[in-house]
Amino acid sequence: MPTRRPPRTDVTPAGRLDEARLHHVLGYQMAQATIVTNAVFMAHAGEPFGLRPVEYTVLTLIVENPGGSLARLARALAVTAPNITMWIDKLEARGLVRRQPSATDRRAQVLQATPQGEALARQATQAILEAERAALTTLSPAEHAMLVELLHKVACARGDGAG
Amino acid sequence: MPTRRPPRTDVTPAGRLDEARLHHVLGYQMAQATIVTNAVFMAHAGEPFGLRPVEYTVLTLIVENPGGSLARLARALAVTAPNITMWIDKLEARGLVRRQPSATDRRAQVLQATPQGEALARQATQAILEAERAALTTLSPAEHAMLVELLHKVACARGDGAG
DNA sequence: TATTGTTATACTCTATAACTATA
DNA sequence: TATAGTTATAGAGTATAACAATA
């Protein structure tokens, strides 16, 4: 007679550890899922294109919002001003984005992606979308789409007392 | 006549930036949502109980899996061995967990939470669950539960070619 | 030969403080 | 007085390499 094991539905994906109460903590599940999405990003976009997650996000937000300032970018990503300065420095040194003086506010700098930056962002996004779809066969297309929307709703809770 | 603004459904929660293509990148939405869950954790569990996110997770996994090894914990959290050693050092110095020699493997150390560690983990989990529920009024209870399950499915994709 | 755990070390990333310039 | 951006500096966190002990 084989050893009986109690049925388990709550386990960590890799470490085979119980997570009975932890299972319902959203922050914990976010961290565990981020392990997967980070690995997908690094393998299919980060390493091929030489981009860190933050660099990719910053670059793409600039591509999709030409003419934005560094301060607005810092708020969007919840990072500090010196931090954004550093990442823009790196992207500018690689010729992916450009700083230009704002026409309306002489304190501010306006950001714009170069043609190379736009091309890189487009290729990276394409690669990530395909890689995520391929990696997450555990989710149906409908579930995948629903997850994205639910996460967006969570993100929109920002400012409502969460941070 | 007021200035006309084009209707926008895809914007960053805080920075008011378009994210048309970025919107469908799961890793990006994960990062944005993590800003919220991290803030909730820090405000209601991290600062009150003096716990970093990793510390909370490590402690709770030990509470729910007494007798596990450091190596297994490292795999569960996808962190390196020296990293786990450091976090266990900190938790042990605070009297929250204990290391004990394994009875079956003389290389391994077995981890166990102290009564104080168990109490702290229980209180912290309670606080997080309540705080997340309170902060995410933008999600219905059903959506909240579904989000947790979808994230769990994503996390379970680990090892299937994602990392 | 692989695995467990530790130490030492370096690197990445982030945060804080102080500053200039402009609103 | 507040905001935009930069610089300098310190701190947190992580990774790598090398090692000892055991499987």
Side-chain angles (χ1 to χ4, degrees), chain B residues 7 14 21 25 27 30 69 77 101 109-110 112 119 123 127 134 136 138 142 148 153:
Chain B
R21 286 178 292 185
V25 174
M30 294 281 303
S69 68
L77 300 175
Q109 309 249 20
V110 150
Q112 197 177 353
Q123 290 170 15
L136 300 180
T138 160
V148 168
K153 279 195 180 184

Side-chain angles (χ1 to χ4, degrees), chain A residues 5-25 28-29 32, chain B residues 60-61 63-65 72 76 125 129 145 148-153 155-156:
Chain A
R5 288 184 58 194
R8 288 182 176 180
T9 53
D10 294 341
V11 291
T12 55
R16 300 283 97 189
L17 300 178
D18 275 2
E19 51 179 19
R21 285 177 294 184
L22 205 49
H23 183 90
H24 300 97
V25 174
Y28 170 73
Q29 295 296 349
Q32 287 286 312
Chain B
T60 304
L61 281 176
V63 167
E64 298 187 353
N65 302 271
R72 210 161 64 138
T125 297
L129 289 174
V148 168
E149 291 312 314
L150 290 174
L151 288 171
H152 187 67
K153 279 195 180 184
C156 287

Side-chain angles (χ1 to χ4, degrees), chain A residues 56-131:
Chain A
Y56 163 74
T57 304
V58 169
L59 175 60
T60 305
L61 281 176
I62 293 173
V63 167
E64 298 187 353
N65 301 272
S69 69
L70 280 80
R72 210 159 66 138
L73 211 46
R75 281 192 292 271
L77 301 176
V79 298
T80 58
N83 207 340
I84 277 291
T85 296
M86 184 196 67
W87 289 117
I88 298 296
D89 283 348
K90 291 194 179 183
L91 292 175
E92 197 171 26
R94 286 175 62 182
L96 299 175
V97 305
R98 263 197 301 264
R99 271 186 256 233
Q100 281 172 333
S102 166
T104 58
D105 187 335
R106 284 167 57 196
R107 297 172 302 181
Q109 309 250 21
V110 150
L111 296 167
Q112 197 176 353
T114 65
Q116 302 97 293
E118 287 190 26
L120 190 63
R122 189 172 55 247
Q123 290 170 15
T125 296
Q126 188 68 19
I128 296 168
L129 289 174
E130 288 174 6

Side-chain angles (χ1 to χ4, degrees), chain B residues 4-163:
Chain B
R4 282 232 292 142
R5 289 184 59 194
R8 287 182 176 178
T9 53
D10 294 340
V11 291
T12 54
R16 303 282 96 188
L17 299 178
D18 276 2
E19 52 180 16
R21 286 178 292 185
L22 204 50
H23 184 90
H24 300 95
V25 174
L26 183 56
Y28 169 73
Q29 296 296 350
M30 294 281 303
Q32 288 286 312
T34 297
I35 295 173
V36 173
T37 56
N38 266 347
V40 170
F41 172 86
M42 286 312 292
H44 297 89
E47 287 167 7
F49 298 104
L51 288 171
R52 304 237 137 237
V54 206
E55 289 178 312
Y56 164 75
T57 304
V58 169
L59 175 60
T60 304
L61 281 176
I62 293 173
V63 167
E64 298 187 353
N65 302 271
S69 68
L70 280 80
R72 210 161 64 138
L73 211 46
R75 281 192 292 271
L77 300 175
V79 298
T80 58
N83 209 339
I84 277 291
T85 296
M86 183 196 67
W87 289 118
I88 298 296
D89 284 348
K90 291 194 179 184
L91 292 176
E92 198 171 25
R94 286 177 61 183
L96 300 176
V97 304
R98 264 197 301 265
R99 272 183 254 234
Q100 282 173 332
S102 166
T104 57
D105 187 336
R106 285 167 57 195
R107 296 172 302 180
Q109 309 249 20
V110 150
L111 295 168
Q112 197 177 353
T114 65
Q116 301 97 296
E118 288 189 26
L120 190 64
R122 188 173 54 248
Q123 290 170 15
T125 297
Q126 188 67 20
I128 296 168
L129 289 174
E130 288 174 8
E132 286 182 345
R133 186 155 30 85
L136 300 180
T137 50
T138 160
L139 295 185
S140 72
E143 286 177 323
H144 191 131
M146 178 169 299
L147 175 56
V148 168
E149 291 312 314
L150 290 174
L151 288 171
H152 187 67
K153 279 195 180 184
V154 171
C156 287
R158 185 135 69 106
D160 299 0

